Amino acid sequence: MNHPTSSYTIQKEDIPQLKFSKIETLSSLKKRKLRSHYLERATQLGNLLKTKVKIYFIDSTNKLISVNTTIWAVTSDFVVLKQGITIPKHSIIYIE
C-alpha cells in the first residue's frame, strides 16, 4: 500500500470523529512487529514518565494524520489514549 508523504496534525479529541479502514496499513510482518515494539515502548514512556509521542496513522480516505499524545495502553487491536479514545492498531504507520 502506498502511503501519503505529508501529514496533518489533529487533536486527540478529534479522533472519535474519524473513520478507519479495516485494511492493515503495513505490508510486511517485520514492520508490524516493529510497530508493536514501538507501541509497547511508547506505552511505558507514557505511563512512567507521562511522555507524549507522535502517532502517524491512516484514516479511511487514506489521509496521513498525526497526533501528539500519551499512550495509556495497547491491546491486540487498539491503542488506547486518555479519555478512552482509541486508534485501530492496524491503521498506525509510525510512532516517534
Side-chain angles (χ1 to χ4, degrees), residues 31-85:
K31 288 181 180 179
R32 290 192 296 269
K33 285 184 177 184
L34 196 56
R35 174 182 58 199
S36 290
H37 170 74
Y38 285 136
L39 286 170
E40 291 297 333
R41 187 168 177 268
T43 302
Q44 292 171 351
L45 289 171
N47 288 328
L48 296 174
L49 303 173
K50 307 299 181 224
T51 302
K52 291 187 176 191
V53 295
K54 194 165 206 174
I55 303 171
Y56 293 87
F57 59 95
I58 301 287
D59 71 357
S60 64
T61 63
N62 206 35
K63 289 182 188 159
L64 183 60
I65 303 168
S66 64
V67 63
N68 195 31
T69 188
T70 303
I71 297 176
W72 280 32
V74 177
T75 69
S76 59
D77 296 324
F78 293 95
V79 172
V80 183
L81 312 176
K82 198 173 184 178
Q83 301 168 340
I85 295 170

